[in-house]
Amino acid sequence: MSFSFKKDLEKIKKQGQYRVLNQYNHIDDVLLEKNHNKLISFSSNDYLGLSKHPTLIKAAIEATTKYGVGLASSRLVTGNNQLYEELERKISKLKNSEKSLVFGSGYLANIGTISCLVDKNDLVIADKYVHSCILDGVKISGAQLLRFKHNDTESCLNIIEKHRHKFNKCLIITETVFSMDGDVAPIDKLLKIANNNNALLMTDDAHGLGVLTPKKAHINMGTLSKAAGCYGGYVAADKAIIDYLINKARSLIFSTALPPSILASAIAAIDIITHNQDGRPVEKARYFTQKMGLPEAQSSIVPIIIGDNEKTLRISNLLEKKGFLVTAIRPPTVPKNTARLRLTFCANHKIADIDNLIYHIKSII
Ligand SMILES: *Cc1c(COP(=O)(O)O)cnc(C)c1O
């Protein structure tokens, strides 16, 4: 058997799942340029517009001047710049946790944390819709993975009652805000199930930070790459867990520290998020769902499920011709036959632009 890249790519094309890299120029947090066309983006995770915030930019420039562009080694060697301490202190305070730990990205935080907390003698019970990087973390760990029905605590309880006794440790994982569906997890109930069954609950707050304030779990993961507008991931938890991660999480130990510019901007972003609870992304999402006659938005993310891959892509292309970027999300990112338009709403979206988008979606679908 030899490699057959071309043939395999043809297969992907036939399934309507072929992906290409487009080039974008971000003019601001909601306006971008693609092939010289200006598009209003409903596909950005820069929910608060922080990626272009003057305070964050200034912090990045000053930190670069002071510390250079890179730290050139792992945090465990000489990469642990003093900015990390300030950033982690602020994240801990915001997340109301004893301690926190910043990783190179959200992806690295998830794979590093999960693969160090559990091993082949352990059980992970994850919501059916969790992000791929959570599944990658479980794969690396070698733990047994069982999935419960999306946001269904009964299903989670059934699995844990049936299987918990066969395993050593048990970790339940969910997202606070689901990245492709925009609904929120029943953290309170899952926490109760975890506590009653000698398990820990881990949540992924990638799309919650800066937009909603989720209930605290045992292990609270999040990213600095979305609403915080920067880059990096974090885990907030009790001191013992964080100290354990520092000693065992391979994606922390064997990867270079983040650039000082990013650390400094992230400090400024966490300050802004801590001091100004900005309800606008959810308000704008609710304005949209109400006018569209969709179920009320629970977060800044709204899916419009179309089903067919080609049709979803076609609608997305038509909207682009009208000046809107609304990404078509297809399997394997989402389950089969649930291809969808995924819209994200940002603080700085104008109501007139949302009205215009609604007009075009209604006339196409
Ligand atoms: C984006 C995302 C991640 C990965 O975070 P990065 O900082 O982009 O690596 C993890 N989990 C969820 C749910 C995400 O949406």
Side-chain angles (χ1 to χ4, degrees):
M1 179 97 174
S2 58
F3 292 109
S4 54
F5 300 115
K6 282 187 182 158
K7 221 169 83 196
D8 293 350
L9 284 171
E10 282 309 317
K11 213 188 289 167
I12 295 172
K13 273 183 193 162
K14 270 201 198 110
Q15 290 162 343
Q17 294 181 358
Y18 191 71
R19 294 159 192 247
V20 294
L21 288 169
N22 291 304
Q23 211 175 81
Y24 297 97
N25 172 27
H26 292 241
I27 296 163
D28 60 34
D29 49 317
V30 291
L31 189 65
L32 48 78
E33 218 171 33
K34 179 184 174 190
N35 305 329
H36 305 291
N37 292 322
K38 284 203 173 57
L39 301 172
I40 298 164
S41 172
F42 286 90
S43 298
S44 165
N45 299 318
D46 189 6
Y47 300 119
L48 306 175
L50 293 186
S51 76
K52 299 235 178 211
H53 195 289
T55 310
L56 272 72
I57 293 172
K58 185 164 170 273
I61 292 169
E62 284 175 5
T64 302
T65 308
K66 192 167 173 188
Y67 300 111
V69 292
L71 292 168
S73 87
S74 160
R75 295 187 65 185
L76 276 294
V77 186
T78 63
N80 199 37
N81 183 286
Q82 65 196 62
L83 293 168
Y84 270 111
E85 197 219 305
E86 189 180 351
L87 176 57
E88 287 173 348
R89 189 162 30 81
K90 291 190 175 199
I91 293 172
S92 306
K93 192 159 176 231
L94 175 64
K95 303 305 290 182
N96 191 23
S97 283
E98 275 181 18
K99 221 172 156 179
S100 67
L101 185 64
V102 169
F103 287 73
S105 70
Y107 186 95
L108 291 171
N110 267 335
I111 62 168
T113 301
I114 297 165
S115 65
C116 119
L117 291 178
V118 289
D119 63 31
K120 62 181 188 335
N121 302 309
D122 303 328
L123 173 64
V124 173
I125 307 176
D127 186 286
K128 191 83 191 155
Y129 287 3
V130 294
H131 195 267
S132 288
C133 66
I134 291 172
L135 305 179
D136 291 351
V138 181
K139 221 182 259 177
I140 295 170
S141 77
Q144 169 79 51
L145 173 67
L146 296 172
R147 318 286 296 272
F148 60 93
K149 283 190 207 142
H150 177 54
N151 273 349
D152 185 334
T153 50
E154 276 299 307
S155 166
C156 178
L157 188 62
N158 286 341
I159 292 173
I160 207 165
E161 284 180 345
K162 197 161 162 206
H163 300 282
R164 173 71 187 91
H165 68 276
K166 296 180 239 166
F167 297 90
N168 196 351
K169 291 168 282 172
C170 176
L171 186 63
I172 302 174
I173 310 180
T174 191
E175 290 178 23
T176 56
V177 174
F178 281 85
S179 60
M180 295 300 142
D181 294 79
D183 51 355
V184 302
I187 308 284
D188 271 348
K189 287 182 182 160
L190 291 172
L191 197 58
K192 212 163 159 189
I193 294 174
N195 287 334
N196 289 343
N197 291 277
N198 187 22
L200 291 183
L201 176 68
M202 174 171 173
T203 54
D204 178 335
D205 195 36
H207 292 277
L209 182 76
V211 176
L212 297 173
T213 309
K215 288 270 162 38
K216 207 175 123 186
H218 299 109
I219 299 146
N220 306 273
M221 174 271 168
T223 172
L224 301 167
S225 327
K226 287 169 179 153
C230 303
Y231 197 64
Y234 66 84
V235 173
D238 284 353
K239 182 176 181 307
I241 295 175
I242 297 300
D243 290 343
Y244 186 75
L245 292 177
I246 294 171
N247 282 277
K248 302 278 277 185
R250 297 172 63 85
S251 64
L252 178 90
I253 299 171
F254 298 109
S255 186
T256 299
L258 283 166
S261 54
I262 284 297
L263 298 171
S265 310
I267 290 169
I270 296 295
D271 272 342
I272 291 172
I273 288 170
T274 304
H275 295 116
N276 323 282
Q277 274 299 323
D278 192 335
R280 287 178 299 164
V282 182
E283 275 164 32
K284 302 222 162 134
R286 289 197 171 143
Y287 177 85
F288 176 81
T289 50
Q290 196 209 338
K291 286 227 154 170
M292 283 290 295
L294 293 166
E296 185 179 63
Q298 295 176 34
S299 68
S300 52
I301 302 168
V302 177
I304 304 179
I305 313 274
I306 307 293
D308 182 70
N309 290 352
E310 292 297 337
K311 186 175 176 196
T312 311
L313 206 53
R314 207 164 51 237
I315 299 170
S316 168
N317 289 337
L318 284 171
L319 288 172
E320 193 171 315
K321 289 207 176 83
K322 302 290 179 192
F324 299 99
L325 184 74
V326 177
T327 330
I329 307 275
R330 293 164 286 166
T333 307
V334 292
K336 253 190 181 165
N337 304 317
T338 71
R340 66 197 63 190
L341 301 170
R342 172 181 177 270
L343 297 94
T344 53
F345 291 85
C346 298
N348 295 328
H349 273 130
K350 292 192 188 77
I351 291 293
D353 289 334
I354 299 175
D355 283 338
N356 213 349
L357 172 70
I358 292 169
Y359 169 80
H360 287 293
I361 291 178
K362 283 186 171 168
S363 57
I364 293 169
I365 291 183

